[in-house]
Amino acid sequence: MTHPAYTPASSDTPSRRPLSPDTGRLGARAARAWTEPMAVRPLERGRYAVDSASGATYVVDLFAGTCSCPDHEIRGERCKHLRRVAIEVTERRVPPPGRRRADCAVCRRPSFVPESASIPICDDCRLERGDLATDRETGDTVVVYRMTDEAASERYVEAADCTVAAYPKNEGYPADDPVVEVVYPFSGDPDADIEDRPRYAFPRSRLAARDEMLIE
Ligand SMILES: [Zn+2]
Ligand SMILES: [Zn+2]
């Protein structure tokens, strides 16, 4: 019995490529950056500790383009440690400069989030001013005014005399969701600017992002 050849849909056919460059054709430092056993640990502000094959640990600073090893400091070469960190960032094995690894507070997927963010949010879950979203509870269309760095359990809403998390319609959403301030574009004065409209605080998960922006 013969099986028909597997013919995948064209959209999921990646082009064939090797996983690493042909290291025989690279310069010595570039080849060693790929082939030597090294461990890269992200520090803060664009710095990475590299445990080298020799047993020494060096610090690479990607913002400054420097490494603490003698090859870089004395000979001024773009050393194998600098190259290795660049490779690992490109391959998404370590976070890029200014980011850290964390589970997104909204979708819970592991992500590289901004280092300074007190609530980790992945790029897919981040909302920007002017983004359109749907209120999952009412189906209303809202426009994002800003995404805050405050948790729903921390934001007190005076009009409701409770926090955003404790507000009855929000009880099914995580209390550690970041608060998103939104406005209603299709109610009140139709000519009012986004800045002048009343703002309402929502837990992020209550809003379904839409792939559109309000053109003003
Ligand atoms: Zn180095
Ligand atoms: Zn997310």
Side-chain angles (χ1 to χ4, degrees):
M1 182 175 161
T2 57
H3 295 279
Y6 171 64
T7 43
S10 59
S11 62
D12 60 32
T13 310
S15 59
R16 282 174 291 186
R17 65 181 184 97
L19 275 181
S20 80
D22 178 356
T23 51
R25 302 170 74 100
L26 294 176
R29 285 184 180 81
R32 283 201 296 271
W34 282 93
T35 59
E36 278 189 15
M38 293 186 231
V40 176
R41 284 174 289 126
L43 304 172
E44 287 178 322
R45 295 184 295 278
R47 292 174 316 123
Y48 300 80
V50 180
D51 296 330
S52 189
S54 67
T57 297
Y58 300 109
V59 175
V60 163
D61 184 330
L62 274 195
F63 284 134
T66 58
C67 178
S68 60
C69 77
D71 195 30
H72 181 85
E73 292 206 319
I74 297 166
R75 286 187 284 277
E77 291 289 342
R78 195 172 136 75
C79 65
K80 61 191 176 185
H81 314 107
L82 257 169
R83 294 165 192 257
R84 177 60 164 259
V85 172
I87 292 166
E88 297 216 9
V89 167
T90 305
E91 302 284 319
R92 299 185 63 82
R93 292 164 59 99
V94 296
R99 299 250 170 170
R100 63 186 164 90
R101 191 189 301 274
D103 289 344
C104 171
V106 177
C107 69
R108 310 286 164 184
R109 285 182 302 190
S111 316
F112 295 143
V113 304
E115 211 163 62
S116 58
S118 61
I119 303 178
I121 304 292
C122 76
D123 290 342
D124 289 344
C125 293
R126 182 160 298 282
L127 293 172
E128 306 289 346
R129 178 169 304 194
D131 283 350
L132 284 181
T134 304
D135 176 358
R136 295 184 200 271
E137 295 298 315
T138 63
D140 287 339
T141 294
V142 297
V143 173
V144 173
Y145 181 75
R146 75 185 180 111
M147 187 159 192
T148 74
D149 222 12
E150 250 176 313
S153 57
E154 294 166 354
R155 168 71 75 91
Y156 175 73
V157 183
E158 209 154 329
D161 190 25
C162 65
T163 64
V164 171
Y167 188 72
K169 272 198 168 117
N170 295 337
E171 279 172 357
Y173 300 99
D176 62 351
D177 254 22
V179 167
V180 181
E181 295 175 2
V182 308
V183 300
Y184 288 85
F186 306 121
S187 66
D189 177 0
D191 295 325
D193 192 79
I194 186 169
E195 299 286 342
D196 302 329
R197 292 178 177 274
R199 294 200 282 273
Y200 299 87
F202 281 69
R204 168 64 184 85
S205 300
R206 185 172 155 179
L207 301 171
R210 305 224 302 251
D211 280 343
E212 306 157 72
M213 283 189 78
L214 189 69
I215 309 296
E216 294 202 79

